[in-house]
Amino acid sequence: MASISPLLPLPTNLPTKEIPGGYGPPFFGALSDRLDLIYNPAGPDAFFESRMKKYNSTVFRVNIPPGGIFFPDPRVIMLLDQKSFPVLFDTTKVDKTDIFTGTYMPPVSCTGGFRVLPYLDPSEERHTKLKGFCFEILKSNASKWFPEFHKAFMEAGTIWDSQLTSDGRANFSDATDEFALNFLLRSIVNRDPTIRGEVDLGDNPASLLVPWIAFQLYPIIPLGILPKYVEDFIFHNFQLPFWPVKGYYDKLYKFFKTYGTEAIDIAVTKFDLHREDAIHNLIFFVCFNTHGGIKRLFPSIVRHISDAGAELQQELAQEVQSAVKSHGGLTPKALGSMPLVESTVYEVLRIEPPVAYQYGRAKNDLIIESHDAAYKVKKGEMLGGYQPCATRDPKVFANPKAFLPKRFLGDEGQRLLQYVLWSNGQETSEPTVSNKQCAGKNFVVLISRLFVAELFSRYDYIKLGPPVGKGVSPKFFFTTLQKSQI
Ligand code: HEM
């Protein structure tokens, strides 16, 4: 567990207060909170801000989706400031069993009958083995990251350039989904998914992931496919059967089982894992944790950079292109000499953490402190955090709602890194087999920096149009891509 941050005031004699908010009557309370939260046209930020204002507190009680008829108890105590939020990382205080997606856990049938790593508490032996396996996968394939990322990115760049010429806009989202999956499967599973064979993923491998991921998340998100009340009634009250989606997952399973033997052998021989356990977890690491995360993070990076405009982009292009020139290519050393690229990535991860919610169940009676008060929590109560509120805490970050790409430069920037929490831990802490911090923390920052560097090696200026489509995964299109001269 990370130490208490030196920038925040040390604990003083804070008044002990009752936790404000409430849950309302059974069913109706959850329904009303759910409609307010996930169908709020202003988004979840506005929901949590209005409740913080209403209760004059960054800690309060509220129902979190799904909470419908056939789903578990939705009552959660939300922690929305930098002082209370890190309790969620402290596994001496919170139990992390089966709460990766919140109060509800998808059926294990969608992961081959196994509880995959993110649902395990560190006290479980399988957590230690599987997290060790995940670290090993990342370590043993490290030499492939730069060349494979470059290759896959160039393929996407070719698609964007030709679409822009022919259609006047280029589909950023689809090409990015595809290049990210190509990069991951070529590096980790040693198989190019674009090659057809006896076992393959068809013409559009990235599209296979969509129904499988949506099946796991539909109870907690707005899908945007039906009128609000109809959609809410069906998807947030009932657990749907897995069989309509099973065919998609079976294709992934066959692919990983056939081509992922090198990684699976490591799991069996080095970590004493069952072969089937290893296959399903490997699918989850690659397709849910990594591809799912990239699908949220890369559009945010490009959108913020695009919205920031020409001045930032000129500086990024200058930094990237001169580093690439002086190091003879986009090498690890070249990437290491791009402080603005790095700071920009951290600022995106701060202002828009890709996984917004974290949870933990109180292991014992606790006192939790916000900046202003202390609150008593009972053993067994569910704690949750909506991370964007914590990483936009005005007591820690100046001008917290503004995207300031230079925020993390220099000594002050280094000091502020401890308040960047996207990985379910402080950016200055490291994931281990005994904590719940994202196993891919350093890899994610690396490929995000690589992504920005590849983008500004190829282009001097980019412009992304407004989102197209409803729901949680709208599509984005480039409307301008100005090629670099190098
Ligand atoms: C856990 C985010 C990529 C593997 C987590 C958690 C978050 C997160 C927030 C904690 C969830 C919780 O317990 O509340 C992300 C994001 C990613 C990303 C945003 C990409 C943009 C990766 C990658 C890997 C990975 C590349 C490894 C291949 C894991 C694993 C866990 C985890 C195994 C569970 C850790 C444990 O049980 O101790 N991730 N992740 N993630 N992530 Fe990531």
Side-chain angles (χ1 to χ4, degrees):
M1 167 60 191
S3 55
I4 291 179
S5 85
L7 278 187
L8 291 177
L10 289 169
T12 49
N13 285 337
L14 291 167
T16 304
K17 290 190 184 164
E18 272 296 303
I19 300 173
Y23 304 116
F27 180 77
F28 293 103
L31 173 66
S32 151
D33 282 345
R34 185 169 72 238
L35 292 176
D36 248 18
L37 170 57
I38 61 177
Y39 292 103
N40 190 329
D45 290 0
F47 171 85
F48 286 111
E49 276 171 19
S50 82
R51 295 279 169 119
M52 281 194 280
K53 215 163 151 191
K54 177 172 169 190
Y55 302 128
N56 193 24
S57 173
T58 49
V59 175
F60 56 83
R61 296 179 185 276
V62 69
N63 297 291
I64 291 291
I69 308 167
F70 293 103
F71 286 114
D73 186 349
R75 294 175 298 173
V76 178
I77 297 165
M78 293 305 282
L79 313 175
L80 301 180
D81 61 82
Q82 281 275 353
K83 200 158 167 204
S84 61
F85 196 95
V87 169
L88 298 166
F89 310 148
D90 187 344
T91 51
T92 64
K93 293 189 175 146
V94 296
D95 187 319
K96 295 285 288 183
T97 306
D98 297 340
I99 46 105
F100 177 56
T101 38
T103 58
Y104 139 91
M105 180 185 170
V108 290
S109 53
C110 59
T111 45
F114 292 89
R115 282 171 64 234
V116 287
L117 174 54
Y119 293 95
L120 308 184
D121 187 74
S123 60
E124 299 178 60
E125 199 192 352
R126 269 180 72 242
H127 180 274
T128 307
K129 290 183 181 182
L130 285 164
K131 199 154 182 189
F133 169 46
C134 189
F135 287 144
E136 187 64 31
I137 295 297
L138 292 169
K139 200 171 99 189
S140 61
N141 290 303
S143 64
K144 301 179 202 161
W145 304 146
F146 277 69
E148 291 295 353
F149 196 91
H150 179 70
K151 182 179 165 196
F153 181 89
M154 289 313 231
E155 289 164 2
T158 308
I159 295 172
W160 291 327
D161 293 344
S162 90
Q163 285 183 351
L164 203 69
T165 311
S166 59
D167 307 339
R169 63 177 198 169
N171 190 326
F172 165 78
S173 303
D174 287 354
T176 300
D177 285 358
E178 199 177 312
F179 106 68
L181 192 64
N182 288 347
F183 157 65
L184 293 169
L185 294 178
R186 288 168 187 165
S187 312
I188 297 175
V189 188
N190 291 323
R191 175 73 179 182
D192 187 336
T194 61
I195 297 175
R196 301 303 294 264
E198 211 170 290
V199 175
D200 65 31
L201 295 179
D203 288 335
N204 189 353
S207 70
L208 287 180
L209 274 51
V210 177
W212 176 63
I213 292 183
F215 179 80
Q216 296 171 70
L217 299 182
Y218 77 82
I220 53 174
I221 55 173
L223 292 161
I225 50 177
L226 292 171
K228 171 169 134 179
Y229 293 105
V230 179
E231 180 181 295
D232 182 69
F233 178 72
I234 299 171
F235 293 106
H236 303 137
N237 280 293
F238 304 100
Q239 175 63 64
L240 304 178
F242 180 56
W243 61 262
V245 176
K246 190 171 181 303
Y248 299 97
Y249 185 69
D250 286 348
K251 277 198 175 171
L252 291 171
Y253 170 80
K254 264 197 195 152
F255 185 89
F256 275 75
K257 187 179 175 167
T258 309
Y259 302 115
T261 46
E262 203 176 304
I264 298 158
D265 287 347
I266 292 177
V268 176
T269 54
K270 197 162 173 187
F271 295 93
D272 191 27
L273 284 159
H274 190 282
R275 234 182 149 71
E276 288 297 302
D277 196 0
I279 298 170
H280 292 289
N281 271 283
L282 189 61
I283 298 173
F284 204 84
F285 297 157
V286 173
C287 299
F288 193 105
N289 291 123
T290 312
H291 195 266
I294 289 175
K295 208 174 159 70
R296 292 190 64 76
L297 178 57
F298 282 12
S300 302
I301 292 177
V302 176
R303 192 163 37 77
H304 283 290
I305 291 176
S306 169
D307 290 351
E311 200 180 313
L312 170 68
Q313 296 194 30
Q314 214 166 31
E315 286 184 66
L316 284 170
Q318 222 157 41
E319 180 177 274
V320 169
Q321 291 167 21
S322 72
V324 167
K325 205 167 161 195
S326 63
H327 289 89
L330 183 37
T331 60
K333 275 208 167 133
L335 192 67
S337 60
M338 299 177 191
L340 180 59
V341 169
E342 188 175 41
S343 175
T344 303
V345 165
Y346 283 137
E347 178 64 345
V348 176
L349 288 164
R350 177 197 75 83
I351 203 163
E352 204 175 327
V355 178
Y357 295 90
Q358 275 82 45
Y359 300 93
R361 202 172 280 287
K363 277 186 166 170
N364 290 300
D365 290 356
L366 292 176
I367 304 280
I368 292 181
E369 289 184 349
S370 70
H371 296 299
D372 320 303
Y375 300 96
K376 284 184 189 159
V377 168
K378 287 247 170 307
K379 178 179 176 179
E381 288 198 281
M382 184 70 145
L383 306 172
Y386 178 68
Q387 203 185 119
C389 290
T391 52
R392 294 180 211 148
D393 183 338
K395 290 222 160 61
V396 168
F397 289 108
N399 207 355
K401 289 186 178 174
F403 175 71
L404 303 178
K406 295 185 182 167
R407 195 187 289 276
F408 294 100
L409 290 177
D411 290 346
E412 176 58 10
Q414 287 301 308
R415 230 149 49 90
L416 285 173
L417 275 182
Q418 65 189 303
Y419 302 114
V420 176
L421 310 176
W422 72 270
S423 63
N424 195 39
Q426 294 174 303
E427 197 54 31
T428 44
S429 309
E430 288 304 318
T432 69
V433 293
S434 30
N435 66 24
K436 285 295 285 179
Q437 190 161 15
C438 172
K441 172 193 163 233
N442 297 325
F443 172 78
V444 169
V445 174
L446 174 82
I447 59 165
S448 302
R449 288 161 58 207
L450 254 184
F451 178 56
V452 177
E454 289 284 4
L455 201 61
F456 285 97
S457 285
R458 191 176 176 96
Y459 304 109
D460 280 338
Y461 178 74
I462 55 140
K463 182 90 199 129
L464 206 64
V468 176
K470 284 202 221 159
V472 282
S473 239
K475 287 198 193 302
F476 290 94
F477 291 81
F478 283 122
T479 52
T480 309
L481 287 170
Q482 193 178 307
K483 279 292 231 345
S484 80
Q485 300 311 310
I486 66 162

